[in-house]
């Protein structure tokens, strides 16, 4: 079967930068190395780090003195970083600069008296981190979900870096009709926009789409949603072990897209399986 791989499939610039940083720290640290939360949302990559001796903790309170703490791509809650600093632990900041941007915007505009509205997933590590930088009240609006009443004249709207553009636009438009002043700062990462545009074109050209990446990865889930709207035969898998031959019955060409936190070797594993597939219903 022919496999078309999206140009943008696999690690984005920010993830590659953090992964390289963790590897460098692991090679040179004299004591234990841990990441604060999974370094990226990909279980297969996290397992490889574990093999290299890099552990994962949820809070600074779980590590002993002398531990090097690496902040993951999605950033961390400010109080946790203050705690690490207070204990004199070595902190290596792997936060993607595109995630630092909404953190800084939330801090600055909240200090200027804006009620900060974030379009994104309130349970996502990135959003928890951004909220922690806001110096005033903050409201998280789920993409496509209801927008609560916000008792403020001035609101500042920002987005999770992986947000779909149309979802951000819908919230900004709705708030513009309700509040005297609305500041919208588009904090969606360029990589996300390019990857989503790339996935859209790919889905139009193929008979089925496989989106590869962690089930806990927001950007991978969004890619699958985008592709499914265009091509209903879209499957989101973490590795080739989940693929089923019957999904591709009658398919000539299958498209392959992958989230920003999906390692190349995982993408290649899926591509290899698809290329070697003998489809039911074909000679
Ligand atoms: S998707 Fe964008 S924000 Fe997220 S890690 Fe990659 S470059 Fe950074």
């Amino acid at each position: 079967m022919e496999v078309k791989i999206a140009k943008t499939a696999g690690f984005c610039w920010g993830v590659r930068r953090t992964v390289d940083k963790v590897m460098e720290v692991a090679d040179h640290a004299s004591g234990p190395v841990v990441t604060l939360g999974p370094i990226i949302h990909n279980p297969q990559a996290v397992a490889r780090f574990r093999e290299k001796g890099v552990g994962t903790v949820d809070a600074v309170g779980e590590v002993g003195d002398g531990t090097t703490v690496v902040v993951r791509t999605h950033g961390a809650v400010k109080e946790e970083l203050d705690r690490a600093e207070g204990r004199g632990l070595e902190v290596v900041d792997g936060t993607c600069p595109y995630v630092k941007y909404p953190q800084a915007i939330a801090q600055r505009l909240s200090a200027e008296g804006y009620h900060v509205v974030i379009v994104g997933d309130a349970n996502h590590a990135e959003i928890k981190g951004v909220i922690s930088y806001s110096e005033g009240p903050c409201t998280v609006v789920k993409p496509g979900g209801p927008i609560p009443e916000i008792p403020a004249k001035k609101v500042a709207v920002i987005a999770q870096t992986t947000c779909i553009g149309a979802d951000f636009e819908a919230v900004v438009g709705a708030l513009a009709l309700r509040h005297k002043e609305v500041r919208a700062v588009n904090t969606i990462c360029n990589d996300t926009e390019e990857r989503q545009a790339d996935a859209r074109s790919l889905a139009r050209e193929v008979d089925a789409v496989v989106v590869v990446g962690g089930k806990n990865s927001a950007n991978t889930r969004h890619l699958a949603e985008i592709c499914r709207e265009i091509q209903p035969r879209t499957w989101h898998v973490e590795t080739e072990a989940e693929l089923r031959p019957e999904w591709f019955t009658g398919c000539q060409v299958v498209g392959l897209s992958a989230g920003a936190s999906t390692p190349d070797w995982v993408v290649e594993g899926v591509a290899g399986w698809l290329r070697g597939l003998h489809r039911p219903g074909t000679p």
Side-chain angles (χ1 to χ4, degrees):
M1 189 160 59
E2 187 187 339
V3 181
K4 276 195 176 183
I5 302 182
K7 291 192 296 290
T8 48
F11 279 175
C12 64
W13 169 83
V15 166
R16 200 170 295 280
R17 174 181 172 273
T18 308
V19 165
D20 289 349
K21 204 171 259 202
V22 179
M23 290 302 185
E24 198 188 317
V25 172
D27 284 342
H28 297 102
S30 48
V33 178
V34 298
T35 64
L36 205 45
I39 191 75
I40 51 174
H41 281 158
N42 185 275
Q44 291 70 34
V46 170
R48 283 224 170 162
F49 285 127
R50 211 176 297 124
E51 282 164 21
K52 223 173 152 34
V54 179
T56 302
V57 296
D58 291 324
V60 168
E62 295 172 38
V63 307
D65 291 340
T67 302
T68 301
V69 177
V70 186
V71 179
R72 58 173 155 183
T73 325
H74 302 111
V77 171
K78 188 171 180 301
E79 292 74 24
E80 278 299 303
L81 297 180
D82 293 344
R83 224 165 270 146
E85 200 179 313
R87 282 185 54 193
L89 298 173
E90 182 165 354
V91 176
V92 176
D93 192 359
T95 311
C96 173
Y98 290 116
V99 173
K100 279 186 167 292
Y101 182 50
Q103 291 177 346
I105 296 287
Q107 190 164 33
R108 179 160 63 79
L109 295 184
S110 60
E112 289 177 19
Y114 287 89
H115 182 114
V116 175
V117 176
I118 309 167
V119 186
D121 174 2
N123 295 317
H124 194 282
E126 177 190 324
I127 300 307
K128 289 181 182 168
V130 171
I131 292 172
S132 72
Y133 281 85
S134 174
E135 295 180 6
C138 223
T139 299
V140 181
V141 176
K142 193 175 170 201
I147 305 173
E149 283 304 318
I150 298 168
K153 279 192 183 145
K154 299 184 350 172
V155 295
V157 199
I158 56 179
Q160 188 166 350
T161 50
T162 51
C163 185
I164 296 173
D167 290 330
F168 178 60
E169 193 182 5
V171 175
V172 172
L175 292 176
L177 298 172
R178 291 191 198 169
H179 298 270
K180 285 281 174 224
E181 188 182 337
V182 176
R183 289 268 307 261
V185 183
N186 180 356
T187 50
I188 301 173
C189 150
N190 288 348
D191 179 275
T192 302
E193 287 177 332
E194 280 166 27
R195 195 176 292 264
Q196 291 177 353
D198 204 17
R200 252 181 222 108
S201 343
L202 183 73
R204 287 192 192 101
E205 295 168 10
V206 295
D207 306 313
V209 181
V210 176
V211 180
V212 192
K215 296 278 165 66
N216 56 349
S217 157
N219 80 83
T220 310
R221 286 201 309 268
H222 285 157
L223 286 178
E225 282 165 27
I226 286 168
C227 291
R228 199 168 287 121
E229 274 178 19
I230 298 165
Q231 172 50 264
R233 294 175 80 177
T234 292
W235 313 96
H236 175 183
V237 299
E238 287 191 350
T239 70
E240 67 271 24
E242 294 165 61
L243 293 167
R244 295 284 167 270
E246 58 271 24
W247 293 350
F248 306 98
T249 303
C251 289
Q252 301 295 324
V253 188
V254 63
L256 201 165
S257 177
S261 49
T262 312
D264 294 346
W265 49 271
V266 176
V267 176
E268 268 315 310
V270 172
W273 189 98
L274 290 168
R275 284 189 194 109
L277 178 67
H278 175 75
R279 289 150 291 141
T282 55

